[in-house]
Amino acid sequence: MKVPLLDLSEQNQALRPEIEAALGRVLDTNAFILGGEVSELEKELAEYCGTKHAIGCASGSDALLLAMMALDIGPGDEVITTPYSFFATVSAITRLGATPVFVDIDPQTYNLDVSQVESKITKRTRAIQPVHLYGQCADMTALRKIGAKHDIPLVEDAAQAIGAQVNGTRAGAMSAVGCFSFYPSKNLGGMGDGGFMTTDDDALAEKLRALRVHGSKERYYHKWVGLNSRLDGFQGAVLRVKLPHLDTWSNKRKTNADRYRTLFTDAGLTEQITLPFERDNCRHIYNQFVVRVPNLRDELRTFLSQNDVGTDIYYPVPLHLQECFEYLGHKPGDLPESESAANETLALPIYPELRPEQQKYGVDAIGNFFK
């Protein structure tokens, strides 16, 4: 049996007639950049996330960069964030000449350890950027209190967390700006790159809309120096077809996660494999199902590959130890929980169309490895 880490074919084929019709609407109007499909998608996304505004852009990476630009972050400024995330989390900060100030992670959730945040605040701190890693929100209740106390805005890196919730509030609705990705592997994935930002602040929304088109509110008149970061009409049309299915797909991921828990427990593997932790009063949307394997992670991954079970490592090198950030002066041991997670975590298949027999085959293979 083959168990790929991700297989988009079944999902896309089921929606193919609707997708082709949606692409035809774009061809009929020739609105290939932004346009009506993107405008309607933005309204639907704002309603879904529970925010006043949603603003499409070219990628999740650009969403993070545009958010920092809208908050006027630049040289001499500091942004508190996590070292255990995708590269764009920090590159958005450093590309503007600002300095990332790293806070280690909670070893259970892999999100920012909120207990360490306040001690990192200085007079140069201009934002706090939590990441909702793997589809579970960071402790936004505590972070919002810290932000309000020190008058520091929060920017949510919610690239992996559309639809995730804390006490009923959705990701992207708990900060100055929420940043999302439509990369094809996300719970709501496009057919190419794309992203969007959410906010309840009218002035910030206006600035974000301008910044994505070279800082121009009126064509050829530029208030700011922005980017060329517009969402394509084709992507908007495809995503409008997919958005109504998002909660169903995320619920199927949760069902698969629960099945994994049962399978690992029944197989007596919970001492060898640490399963994902779910915070109380939160909705985890399981963009990834990440387990922890002390000491034997790489050997297990090789064994699973030999048995046609797909896996991946998110992320093998924490950001504070990346070569391009050597100038920040960090060394191994500075952020031990992030470094430990980088050495021990392994993502297993969790996509909605994953079949129960595929999951059992994967868990059985893990059991055979430990035997």
Side-chain angles (χ1 to χ4, degrees):
M1 185 179 293
K2 293 185 182 295
V3 188
L5 180 67
L6 177 66
D7 184 357
L8 298 172
S9 57
E10 184 176 336
Q11 182 180 113
N12 288 332
Q13 284 301 315
L15 297 175
R16 183 165 182 158
E18 293 177 70
I19 289 172
E20 289 179 346
L23 296 177
R25 293 197 303 268
V26 178
L27 285 170
D28 290 340
T29 62
N30 294 309
F32 300 122
I33 303 294
L34 298 176
E37 293 293 335
V38 172
S39 296
E40 291 303 310
L41 173 67
E42 289 174 335
K43 294 175 186 176
E44 293 160 6
L45 289 168
E47 181 178 0
Y48 181 83
C49 293
T51 58
K52 288 179 67 175
H53 304 279
I55 302 105
C57 62
S59 68
S61 299
D62 276 4
L64 294 165
L65 182 59
L66 288 162
M68 297 292 162
M69 294 170 69
L71 294 172
D72 296 319
I73 290 169
D77 295 333
E78 295 177 348
V79 177
I80 294 172
T81 192
T82 171
Y84 191 62
S85 179
F86 180 63
F87 182 76
T89 299
V90 174
S91 68
I93 301 166
T94 58
R95 284 178 65 184
L96 297 176
T99 300
V101 176
F102 293 119
V103 170
D104 210 354
I105 60 169
D106 177 304
Q108 288 186 302
T109 65
Y110 307 109
N111 288 325
L112 274 180
D113 183 346
V114 176
S115 69
Q116 300 183 36
V117 170
E118 201 161 11
S119 66
K120 299 288 186 177
I121 294 174
T122 72
K123 62 182 180 181
R124 296 197 298 162
T125 305
R126 292 293 307 280
I128 300 170
Q129 183 193 44
V131 177
H132 304 325
L133 203 64
Y134 304 144
Q136 179 165 227
C137 289
D139 187 351
M140 293 302 294
T141 303
L143 286 168
R144 292 175 77 180
K145 289 179 181 177
I146 294 170
K149 177 180 175 182
H150 296 275
D151 194 25
I152 298 171
L154 306 183
V155 175
E156 292 172 78
D157 183 340
Q160 300 179 8
I162 185 170
Q165 297 178 358
V166 178
N167 295 318
T169 302
R170 281 187 165 156
M174 297 178 280
S175 61
V177 186
C179 302
F180 296 82
S181 169
F182 290 133
Y183 190 76
S185 64
K186 306 303 186 196
N187 291 40
L188 180 61
M191 293 185 170
D193 275 320
F196 75 102
M197 302 152 289
T198 53
T199 186
D200 286 325
D201 186 310
D202 294 339
L204 265 180
E206 181 183 31
K207 190 172 183 180
L208 289 165
R209 288 193 179 95
L211 286 170
R212 71 178 175 176
V213 288
H214 297 291
S216 174
K217 291 193 288 183
E218 181 182 355
R219 195 178 186 190
Y220 302 132
Y221 294 85
H222 303 270
K223 185 171 182 177
W224 301 283
V225 177
L227 305 176
N228 177 18
S229 183
R230 301 167 295 193
L231 187 62
D232 291 346
F234 281 133
Q235 295 301 334
V238 168
L239 290 160
R240 289 190 68 203
V241 171
K242 288 190 167 190
L243 180 57
H245 302 276
L246 173 58
D247 280 334
T248 297
W249 292 334
S250 294
N251 289 339
K252 286 182 178 179
R253 288 172 179 265
K254 176 64 165 65
T255 297
N256 290 343
D258 291 342
R259 184 179 296 114
Y260 268 135
R261 293 181 194 282
T262 299
L263 288 169
F264 276 114
T265 299
D266 290 349
L269 291 169
T270 53
E271 290 187 7
Q272 297 95 330
I273 299 286
T274 301
L275 301 176
F277 176 82
E278 291 186 18
R279 295 176 55 226
D280 291 337
N281 302 314
C282 290
R283 183 194 186 203
H284 195 323
I285 63 158
Y286 283 100
N287 179 246
Q288 302 293 346
F289 187 89
V290 175
V291 299
R292 199 160 189 147
V293 190
N295 304 316
L296 293 171
R297 189 269 311 272
D298 293 342
E299 292 85 349
L300 173 59
R301 188 180 187 210
T302 298
F303 182 84
L304 291 176
S305 177
Q306 293 167 348
N307 285 272
D308 292 321
V309 178
T311 63
D312 209 342
I313 298 170
Y314 304 104
Y315 298 91
V317 181
L319 296 173
H320 68 291
L321 298 180
Q322 292 285 349
E323 183 178 353
C324 62
F325 296 137
E326 283 182 357
Y327 70 93
L328 294 171
H330 292 288
K331 61 184 184 301
D334 284 354
L335 298 162
E337 294 297 349
S338 298
E339 294 167 32
S340 177
N343 290 326
E344 296 179 358
T345 53
L346 187 67
L348 302 179
I350 190 68
Y351 58 95
E353 296 77 22
L354 186 68
R355 301 191 307 276
E357 58 268 29
Q358 289 176 300
Q359 288 187 269
K360 186 175 188 307
Y361 176 83
V363 173
D364 286 347
I366 292 172
N368 290 336
F369 170 80
F370 282 106
K371 288 177 184 176

